[in-house]
Amino acid sequence: MDEKRLSPKEQEYVEKLAQVYIALAQLPAEQQKEYAEKIQELRHRLDRLTPEQKQAYDEKLYELAQQVRAKGKVSQASSEPKKEPLQPEPQVQEQWQTQEDSPEEPEEYEDEPPKKKKKKGRGCFIVLLLLLVIIFAAIGLGGTLVLRELNGSRGQVIEKATVEVEQGAGPLTIGQALEEAGIIQSAQIFRLYVKLEGVAPALQYGSFELSSDMTYDEILEVLQQPQDNRDTVRVTFPEGIPAVQFAQRMEEAGLCTAEEFLDVANNGDFSQFTFWNKRDENPNQFMACEGYLFPDTYDFFVGDDVYNMVAKIYGEFDKKFTEEMYQKVDEMGFTLSEFVTLASIVQEEAGGAEHQADVAAVFMNRLAENSPVPRLESNCASYIKNDNDNNYINNTIAPYYGGWDNIPQNIIDNYDTYNVAGLPAGPISNPGLEAMTNTLKYAESPYYGDYYFFVTDTLGNYYFNKTAEEHQAQVDKQKAEGTMPG
């Protein structure tokens, strides 16, 4: 959306609307009924906001709602519950009473603007407040009671129960089971909370011990814990293997077919994870999932949904890739996808951790502006058709398409590092945490700056050189000594 500043008059208007909304949301149900006409008027005014006004309104509403939530937590912690319902602040009440005197909407907004798609990430509490005016009459809960529902203050009698969640049950079904057991008071609010937290795929099935004095966050934490009575299969994914090998191992374990795994991993919606929303969408990339399947050992539930299995693997990447790492990627001038692509090449070229930062330094030298060697020329992604070589195009992409001649030309052109300047279209494997961490340390290597070549021998030694002549002399020496890899 293009930035557009609101006039002071517009800003004041939308802030008053937000204050009025919060005031109404906090009123007990009895008083809300008295303000039915005003509520209808408020809805009408909100519907007429432009996208820019709606943005400012949301920001103010978020600020006010955080204040209300803080008050709710303080009230819950008090040993003596308040007898009087939570009332709006005096200045908010005054603004409500003078709503008729608030600035009129600008004339150019007489026609209703197109509906703005609601943004995620505001937090479930905020959106619940947004929905209060609509649903309070249906479920009989005012803002104060919703706060108590979320924070675990649901009554003087504490109910404890074992709740059974069936396999495949959705948030509403689970909420209904919790409501019937007396753990929560509203299955609908539970469903909204789960949706807005984005944890639905992580909810497990089985038997859960719960209590009515638990907060919604505590309940969800329990519901995400795998149950011991479910059969599991353990699968190990080594660092540096490509996505197709992840899929093959899942099929060999009897958990799903390789095709099912790749379909979900490449085409599923995993926007609940931070990394997923930071990836580049490159039309020339072989597989969207490549690079983000975190190599580790996992226990998967037999018969579980394939989405949940993939989410478990993606979730580990999301956990391991820290904010500090994102910051360092930005400092490199890379996108996340570019960084993971480089780390995957480092994983394949360097193998062990000892020389990963050094290899990353050489590649960063080649990627630098005005580099005398602008191509990576990594045999791990090249035109070479040698089954004994570790070549992503020949050993991974070609078999997937049924042979080299069947590979789409745009894929070959964008993954051949001898042909394309800079990085290939996407990662060539799934690097481990060590490879990614060491790639971020490229500037600490003594070879960062003007070393553009390296070669290894069969003994595992690495040799770094500045010029093509020095590099070729090193290769000739290794050949003469019989230590040149075949």
Side-chain angles (χ1 to χ4, degrees), residues 153-365:
S153 303
R154 303 184 187 96
Q156 295 182 348
V157 179
I158 297 176
E159 300 288 344
K160 293 185 178 181
T162 300
V163 179
E164 296 289 336
V165 176
E166 298 294 328
Q167 184 175 3
L172 180 58
T173 302
I174 297 173
Q176 289 168 340
L178 295 173
E179 185 177 337
E180 290 172 6
I183 302 301
I184 64 173
Q185 294 180 344
S186 173
Q188 288 289 351
I189 289 183
F190 179 83
R191 177 182 67 84
L192 288 170
Y193 198 98
V194 171
K195 179 179 180 182
L196 296 162
E197 284 292 309
V199 297
L203 297 182
Q204 306 295 326
Y205 64 86
S207 300
F208 301 90
E209 300 294 329
L210 299 166
S211 173
S212 63
D213 64 345
M214 298 171 71
T215 67
Y216 268 38
D217 288 338
E218 289 171 340
I219 292 172
L220 289 179
E221 185 177 353
V222 173
L223 293 177
Q224 291 178 73
Q225 300 303 314
Q227 301 302 288
D228 294 338
N229 59 349
R230 298 165 62 185
D231 293 333
T232 61
V233 174
R234 177 165 292 184
V235 184
T236 297
F237 305 101
E239 295 178 349
I241 65 171
V244 292
Q245 289 189 32
F246 268 77
Q248 289 164 0
R249 285 170 181 258
M250 293 294 283
E251 182 169 284
E252 291 166 2
L255 292 164
C256 61
T257 67
E259 184 179 359
E260 288 172 335
F261 180 88
L262 291 175
D263 179 54
V264 173
N266 285 310
N267 303 312
D269 179 9
F270 296 94
S271 54
Q272 70 269 31
F273 298 125
T274 299
F275 82 86
W276 189 260
N277 304 299
K278 292 179 177 288
R279 299 168 307 122
D280 297 336
E281 296 292 340
N282 190 330
N284 297 311
Q285 188 172 352
F286 174 49
M287 287 194 175
C289 67
E290 196 77 270
Y292 309 99
L293 297 169
F294 193 80
D296 206 339
T297 297
Y298 300 88
D299 291 319
F300 298 102
F301 295 112
V302 175
D304 199 2
D305 190 85
V306 179
Y307 180 94
N308 293 339
M309 300 180 193
V310 176
K312 181 187 282 280
I313 301 173
Y314 278 153
E316 201 61 26
F317 182 98
D318 211 49
K319 235 188 295 184
K320 293 291 195 299
F321 210 94
T322 64
E323 284 302 320
E324 183 183 2
M325 294 173 72
Y326 281 116
Q327 184 177 345
K328 289 182 177 179
V329 169
D330 288 340
E331 291 169 0
M332 290 174 69
F334 278 20
T335 65
L336 175 64
S337 294
E338 289 171 338
F339 170 75
V340 175
T341 298
L342 177 59
S344 71
I345 296 173
V346 170
Q347 175 81 70
E348 301 310 296
E349 287 278 12
E354 183 182 358
H355 292 292
Q356 286 174 342
D358 297 332
V359 170
V362 170
F363 286 133
M364 286 296 288
N365 294 339

Side-chain angles (χ1 to χ4, degrees), residues 396-424:
T396 299
I397 298 179
Y400 181 84
Y401 284 109
W404 185 284
D405 293 337
N406 297 325
I407 303 174
Q409 191 60 44
N410 67 304
I411 297 291
I412 294 178
D413 291 343
N414 284 278
Y415 277 90
D416 180 4
T417 58
Y418 280 82
N419 172 68
V420 63
L423 293 162

